[in-house]
């Protein structure tokens, strides 16, 4: 679980709720009509903008912001040093038992293609295609969440207009002014909270996750091609270290 995301959500909502409780009861900020306008309108507009599978899949996309773990680059380098040393000592076929032990699907596929004896150009073409479609899937997921972040405050403004119209039409009855104004203001509040505390931050986290995973995938591809070409482990280490900032690089003994 991503601790930063959890802390951020808890901290932001906790401070908002605490600020409310210092001056009033939390119950006066609960409005079913406002909730329906913002949530229903956001989901409905998203369904117009995207295929249903994209919108339904947004739950899994949001889950990735909290639960996806990225393998540290240092572990990737150490892994490939082990693979390259084994391949140089015992041959490429010695990596075949390792393939079944690898959890990462992208790495497992690259190793299998290498063990199968495909040439580096073919392996690069296949794995770069995988990378391009990975980029497309990640981008579409982040885009759906970002669009929902744009739609939520817009739905809040629509709710505000609805509440104001209801208030103006019933000005002769003072008892109706309060509920109508509550709908008008709470829809704006709900839209702003969902946009700025949920959807937009999660969209940003997904984009960061994608960049991290893309870096690991590119390192894996470089390592696979280097092993396939029979390069020296020291050279492979230097190549993979070049993907990292100088402070993050670890040199072998």
């Amino acid at each position: 679980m991503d601790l930063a995301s959890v802390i951020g959500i808890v901290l932001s909502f906790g401070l908002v709720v605490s600020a409310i409780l210092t001056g009033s009861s939390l119950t006066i900020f609960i409005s079913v009509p406002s909730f329906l306008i913002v949530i229903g309108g956001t989901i409905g507009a998203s369904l117009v903008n995207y295929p249903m599978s994209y919108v339904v899949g947004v739950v899994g996309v949001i889950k990735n912001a909290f639960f996806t773990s990225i393998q540290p680059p240092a572990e990737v380098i150490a892994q490939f040093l082990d693979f390259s040393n084994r391949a140089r000592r015992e041959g490429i076929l010695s990596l075949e038992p390792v393939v079944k032990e690898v959890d990462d699907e992208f790495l497992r596929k690259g190793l299998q293609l290498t063990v199968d004896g495909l040439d580096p150009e073919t392996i690069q073409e296949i794995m770069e295609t995988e990378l391009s479609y990975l980029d497309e899937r990640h981008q579409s997921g982040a885009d759906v969440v970002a669009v929902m972040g744009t739609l939520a405050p817009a739905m809040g403004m629509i709710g505000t207009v609805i509440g104001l119209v209801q208030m103006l039409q019933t000005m002769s009855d003072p008892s109706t002014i309060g509920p109508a104004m509550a709908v008008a203001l709470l829809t704006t509040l709900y839209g702003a909270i969902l946009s700025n505390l949920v959807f937009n931050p999660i969209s940003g986290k997904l984009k960061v996750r994608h960049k991290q995973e893309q870096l690991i995938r590119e390192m894996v591809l470089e390592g696979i091609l280097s092993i396939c070409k029979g390069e020296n482990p020291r050279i492979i280490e230097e190549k993979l270290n070049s993907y990292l900032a100088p402070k993050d690089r670890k040199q072998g003994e």
Side-chain angles (χ1 to χ4, degrees):
M1 179 179 289
D2 180 59
L3 190 59
S5 297
V6 175
I7 291 175
I9 291 290
V10 172
L11 182 63
S12 57
F13 275 93
L15 290 175
V16 169
V17 171
S18 298
I20 291 173
L21 293 176
T22 57
S24 64
S25 170
L26 188 62
T27 56
I28 68 172
F29 285 85
I30 298 175
S31 170
V32 174
S34 299
F35 181 82
L36 292 176
I37 290 171
V38 175
I39 297 297
T42 299
I43 294 174
S46 299
L47 286 169
V48 175
N49 197 69
Y50 288 100
M52 182 173 290
S53 59
Y54 281 53
V55 179
V56 173
V58 79
V59 176
V61 170
I62 291 175
K63 184 179 71 173
N64 289 336
F66 293 91
F67 296 102
T68 299
S69 58
I70 306 297
Q71 185 179 16
E75 288 186 10
V76 175
I77 295 175
Q79 206 171 25
F80 273 99
L81 283 176
D82 178 60
F83 293 159
S84 59
N85 282 319
R86 182 179 303 192
R88 283 175 66 86
R89 289 195 311 265
E90 306 170 25
I92 290 293
L93 291 178
S94 65
L95 296 177
E96 189 167 9
V98 178
V99 176
K100 300 178 182 179
E101 301 173 0
V102 173
D103 295 327
D104 183 76
E105 185 178 347
F106 187 76
L107 174 56
R108 184 167 61 248
K109 184 170 188 175
L111 288 174
Q112 187 62 62
L113 293 173
T114 303
V115 170
D116 290 342
L118 274 68
D119 60 271
E121 291 76 16
T122 303
I123 294 176
Q124 183 173 7
E125 182 180 351
I126 293 172
M127 297 189 72
E128 283 183 347
T129 302
E130 289 269 355
L131 281 175
S132 65
Y133 279 100
L134 174 71
D135 180 74
E136 184 178 330
R137 290 194 299 271
H138 285 187
Q139 188 62 47
S140 63
D143 286 346
V144 173
V145 180
V147 166
M148 295 180 80
T150 302
L151 292 172
M155 292 302 109
M157 291 302 299
I158 290 175
T160 298
V161 173
I162 292 172
L164 291 175
V165 169
Q166 291 175 339
M167 184 187 70
L168 292 173
Q169 286 185 337
T170 58
M171 289 290 287
S172 59
D173 184 1
S175 64
T176 63
I177 295 177
M181 180 60 73
V183 172
L185 296 179
L186 287 176
T187 48
T188 298
L189 177 64
Y190 289 176
I193 287 176
L194 284 175
S195 177
N196 295 293
L197 299 186
V198 180
F199 293 134
N200 287 338
I202 287 177
S203 176
K205 178 56 70 72
L206 289 171
K207 292 176 182 178
V208 171
R209 290 282 193 203
H210 169 63
K211 290 180 180 179
Q212 293 173 332
E213 188 169 349
Q214 190 175 41
L215 172 65
I216 298 300
R217 294 287 185 262
E218 289 174 355
M219 291 176 68
V220 167
L221 176 57
E222 185 67 51
I224 290 293
L225 294 177
S226 297
I227 290 176
C228 192
K229 295 173 185 176
E231 293 181 351
N232 187 285
R234 179 64 176 172
I235 295 175
I236 295 176
E237 182 183 26
E238 289 297 334
K239 281 187 174 183
L240 298 183
N241 269 325
S242 66
Y243 285 85
L244 308 179
K247 63 182 179 65
D248 298 324
R249 297 175 185 176
K250 292 185 178 181
Q251 300 296 330
E253 295 296 334

